[in-house]
Amino acid sequence: MTDSSHEAVVDAAEHVAAYGAAFATGASELVDRFYEPGAILVPQPGAALSGVDARRSAYDHLLGFGVPMVASTRHLYVAGDVALSIVDWSMRGTARQGFPLDMTGTAADVLRRGTDGRWRYLINNPFGTAS
């Protein structure tokens, strides 16, 4: 049985909030439901990862800090079944490991609506144009 409360959404404008809720669970398998199977994740500028195992490994590292993510959509442009989402996000607090964490970024993400009508990441680039 799957947890449908952490599934990709049918309204692209709700993607960031639903993704944030999945992120808050701390479970990389729930976070990965927001990606197409062949999607790319760019966990740091210049380093693109593809495949479920690589994405989950990157998220296990990030989720391991135990710090919530706050995110808001700055811009969302939808053209048919493709969308460009510009998202401001931050993770601020004390990590489980005891050190202060202060990560911020502006993501430049590409979403695609699947045959099931749900929006998923095709490209998730959390640091946008950062070099």
Side-chain angles (χ1 to χ4, degrees):
M1 184 169 147
T2 62
D3 179 357
S4 63
S5 66
H6 297 294
E7 295 290 339
V9 295
V10 295
D11 181 349
E14 296 174 2
H15 179 81
V16 169
Y19 175 80
F23 189 93
T25 70
S28 61
E29 64 274 7
L30 294 181
V31 172
D32 203 63
R33 291 181 183 178
F34 288 80
Y35 291 81
E36 290 194 353
I40 293 172
L41 168 64
V42 185
Q44 60 186 14
L49 303 174
S50 63
V52 173
D53 292 340
R55 286 191 310 265
R56 286 187 182 180
S57 178
Y59 273 102
D60 283 340
H61 172 74
L62 192 61
L63 294 166
F65 295 132
V67 175
M69 178 187 299
V70 175
S72 63
T73 303
R74 185 189 305 184
H75 301 291
L76 178 65
Y77 304 105
V78 178
D81 291 336
V82 177
L84 173 64
S85 180
I86 308 299
V87 175
D88 296 313
W89 63 272
S90 65
M91 291 177 65
R92 292 187 171 111
T94 301
R96 283 189 184 112
Q97 298 82 353
F99 58 84
L101 185 70
D102 187 1
M103 297 175 66
T104 63
T106 299
D109 300 325
V110 178
L111 309 172
R112 183 164 47 194
R113 183 174 23 222
T115 57
D116 63 356
R118 296 181 181 277
W119 291 92
R120 293 178 182 84
Y121 288 114
L122 183 59
I123 301 170
N124 179 353
N125 184 6
F127 295 100
T129 60
S131 55

